[in-house]
Amino acid sequence: MPDAQETLAIAFELNSAPIEATVEPQTPLIDLLRERFGLTGTKRSCDVQVCGACTVLLDGAPVSSCTVPAFEARGRVVLTVEGFAADEGSSPLIEAFVNNAAFQCGFCTPGMLLAAKSLLDADPSPSEEAIKDYMRGNVCRCTGYKKIVEAVHEAAEASR
Amino acid sequence: MRPFRLHEPTTVQEAASALADAGGGAALYAGGTELLLAMKSGLLAYDTLINVKSISGLDAIAADGNSIVIGASATHSAVEHDPLVRDRLPLLSEVEHGVANLRVRNVGTLAGNLCFAEPHSDPATLLLVYEAELDVAGPSGSRRIAVGDLQTGSYETSLGPDELLTAVRVPAFQAGVRAAYSKFGYHHRPTLGIAAALAVEDGVVADARLALGCVSPVARRLSRSEDVLRGERIDALTEGASALREVSRLASEDADAVEDMHGGVDYKEHLVRVFMERTLLRALAKNGGGDA
Ligand SMILES: Cc1cc2nc3c(=O)[nH]c(=O)nc-3n(C[C@H](O)[C@H](O)[C@H](O)COP(=O)(O)OP(=O)(O)OC[C@H]3O[C@@H](n4cnc5c(N)ncnc54)[C@H](O)[C@@H]3O)c2cc1C
Ligand code: FES
Ligand code: FES
């Protein structure tokens, strides 16, 4: 075991604000977000990169914050569901999720919204197939997915 | 997770020396999608992780003659979307899209997939039919090996303790090759992977490359099945054709399937027979040529 715990000073953009933090190499990004910054919208469930509850966007791309180390955020842009919700541009997706009842317990919802945002940023009018394909790594135990797919489709229409 | 130190070399030489100096106490870290899970669960423990991504230039994907050279820190997503890969290796792009989920593809690397040597790997199977080669570097220089010479067993490779994979070199198929890949399974990783590449000349199979993975610890080429296909007229290779039956039967015999959490031997041999025929029919149906 290393004799003294190494720490790394990192700087990155979190939800549109520049921030600095000191992290240990083994700290996963989710712990920095939830415990240091109180951003508890990011959920931990499986802890093995399967469910997507912990999804955040790193430079716009979905990653599993349960496993990606916090130091990987260095010099990059991190978006959590709190930053997403604060952005006016997110209202079509948020409203579509509400209108379609695309959640029940809501535990998967932050990850679903961020995955959907990343999809719509890359492809503003995805087919149903493309939505299912893109979101297939985000697991929901309540809704049966149909309403989620419909919500993403509706948000895409609304943004046009 | 047990604390570790992070070492960030900027050159391949520095990384190899760091591995040599650590004498087993360090591991290479690329995306960490396998390594960190094993460390979280306590299965593996290292004092130091050596970040492959800090080595400059290793994320490059570039053409070298007929081959595309994919650097060791290129992620599955980078490979999938790379314009050269899409243009010259469309089947590799398609297969990379089917690996894991989007978040794992955005972080995990092709090289890390191969070096982890988990038996259930899509690229390890596919790259056998591309006859890909690997550039391996150590403190005293570099060497090039066939992709099939990397994995020696479940989670075991032929890499020395102070060696790292620096690039995956994938030659494009020649014109007229019809290729397809099939995967099947209900777990996170595939239960079965089959790759087929058929060179067709004047309506006849001039050359055949078949690879089978996931059902046994190490993916393999199927030379007896390939031999049956060579010289066959493709218009005779329709559903249920005796040659296809024979190819599939030999494939299941040569699979050396083992029982694991994905299923028993009989089940896997059955999957091999069913998916071998389907994969060949899919490849043959690509009669416009090209590999995807
Ligand atoms: C949920 C999930 C689903 C998956 N599904 C699939 C699937 O469907 N098909 C499939 O094929 N794979 C699948 N995988 C595996 C995935 O492809 C690998 O996790 C990923 O590619 C590993 O790359 P990495 O960069 O994260 O490797 P790391 O975790 O960083 O490293 C893996 C191993 O390789 C070593 N290593 C890394 N880079 C080098 C190098 N340059 N030279 C030498 N050694 C090196 C490390 O020391 C470690 O032992 C899945 C994984 C997960 C977590
Ligand atoms: S908690 Fe990270 S993917 Fe499930
Ligand atoms: S709403 Fe409960 S898990 Fe998706």
Side-chain angles (χ1 to χ4, degrees):
Chain A
M1 189 155 346
D3 8 297
Q5 178 56 61
E6 183 185 22
T7 55
L8 305 164
I10 62 170
F12 63 103
E13 186 186 307
L14 175 59
N15 295 337
S16 305
I19 66 123
E20 288 176 9
T22 307
V23 297
E24 295 172 353
Q26 73 278 3
T27 305
L29 182 55
I30 192 170
D31 288 352
L32 179 70
L33 297 172
R34 289 180 59 94
E35 285 158 32
R36 201 83 58 82
F37 296 114
L39 297 171
T40 52
T42 305
K43 307 299 182 195
R44 175 186 264 123
S45 181
C46 71
D47 212 23
V48 292
Q49 305 163 100
V50 169
C51 73
C54 68
T55 302
V56 299
L57 302 188
L58 186 57
D59 285 343
V63 300
S64 292
S65 66
C66 66
T67 304
V68 168
F71 72 79
E72 293 287 2
R74 283 174 309 195
R76 299 170 75 178
V77 175
V78 175
L79 185 73
T80 71
V81 74
E82 291 86 355
F84 167 84
D87 175 3
E88 272 178 32
S90 302
S91 43
L93 261 173
I94 295 171
E95 282 162 22
F97 266 63
V98 173
N99 293 343
N100 289 277
F103 48 83
Q104 287 175 32
C105 80
F107 206 77
C108 68
T109 312
M112 288 289 176
L113 286 168
L114 289 169
K117 172 188 164 50
S118 153
L119 167 64
L120 296 183
D121 285 350
D123 179 0
S125 40
S127 65
E128 189 182 322
E129 274 318 297
I131 296 171
K132 287 182 181 168
D133 178 59
Y134 197 90
M135 312 269 297
R136 78 183 148 89
N138 286 76
V139 174
C140 176
R141 285 297 191 228
C142 301
T143 62
Y145 302 104
K146 193 167 186 296
K147 289 164 184 291
I148 294 174
V149 174
E150 285 168 2
V152 176
H153 187 71
E154 186 182 300
E157 303 255 283
S159 310
R160 230 171 293 146
Chain B
M1 194 188 323
R2 207 176 81 159
F4 59 82
R5 289 175 174 279
L6 181 67
H7 183 66
E8 304 209 277
T10 52
T11 65
V12 168
Q13 278 312 307
E14 220 185 299
S17 309
L19 276 174
D21 293 347
L28 294 163
Y29 156 82
T33 60
E34 293 293 2
L35 186 63
L36 295 173
L37 293 192
M39 290 175 72
K40 276 202 240 190
S41 69
L43 222 55
L44 294 175
Y46 296 100
D47 290 343
T48 305
L49 295 191
I50 301 171
N51 193 353
V52 176
K53 299 191 298 302
S54 60
I55 303 173
S56 61
L58 275 199
D59 59 346
I61 300 176
D64 179 10
N66 183 42
S67 293
I68 305 298
V69 183
I70 300 167
S73 53
T75 62
H76 293 292
S77 289
V79 176
E80 175 193 343
H81 295 292
D82 183 81
L84 274 172
V85 173
R86 291 181 109 153
D87 183 43
R88 314 256 287 265
L89 310 168
L91 186 60
L92 176 61
S93 174
E94 179 191 313
V95 170
E96 284 286 57
H97 180 74
V99 167
N101 59 52
L102 178 63
R103 299 180 309 281
V104 170
R105 293 197 297 278
N106 283 341
V107 173
T109 61
L110 173 58
N113 177 299
L114 298 177
C115 291
F116 197 58
E118 213 277 6
H120 309 90
S121 161
D122 293 304
T125 308
L126 175 71
L127 291 176
L128 287 173
V129 301
Y130 274 113
E131 299 191 341
E133 294 183 310
L134 307 175
D135 286 338
V136 174
S140 53
S142 61
R143 59 196 179 99
R144 190 167 291 173
I145 61 172
V147 68
D149 291 335
L150 177 70
Q151 202 182 345
T152 51
S154 270
Y155 305 101
E156 285 173 2
T157 71
S158 59
L159 296 183
D162 50 8
E163 285 188 314
L164 64 155
L165 178 61
T166 56
V168 181
R169 311 177 68 91
V170 192
F173 293 131
Q174 65 191 74
V177 166
R178 305 180 188 193
Y181 179 80
S182 306
K183 72 189 279 184
F184 177 79
Y186 292 105
H187 296 270
H188 302 309
R189 280 173 163 274
T191 296
L192 161 124
I194 290 182
L198 306 175
V200 177
E201 281 166 27
D202 302 325
V204 172
V205 178
D207 193 19
R209 297 177 185 174
L210 302 177
L212 172 64
C214 309
V215 298
S216 64
V218 183
R220 66 191 60 208
R221 286 279 292 268
L222 299 167
S223 52
R224 288 203 300 165
S225 298
E226 292 174 354
D227 287 344
V228 171
L229 283 170
R230 285 195 194 96
E232 286 291 320
R233 288 204 56 80
I234 61 165
D235 48 19
L237 295 176
T238 50
E239 202 176 333
S242 60
L244 290 183
R245 285 283 147 87
E246 180 65 359
V247 167
S248 301
R249 189 183 66 77
L250 290 172
S252 73
E253 266 182 37
D254 294 344
D256 284 334
V258 297
E259 182 174 339
D260 63 10
M261 66 178 278
H262 293 255
V265 172
D266 286 355
Y267 170 67
K268 290 185 178 182
E269 288 179 347
H270 175 72
L271 289 181
V272 171
R273 284 190 294 272
V274 170
F275 279 93
M276 178 53 76
E277 181 164 342
R278 283 191 198 168
T279 310
L280 288 169
L281 290 171
R282 277 180 47 226
L284 288 164
K286 295 176 180 176
N287 56 7
D291 76 359

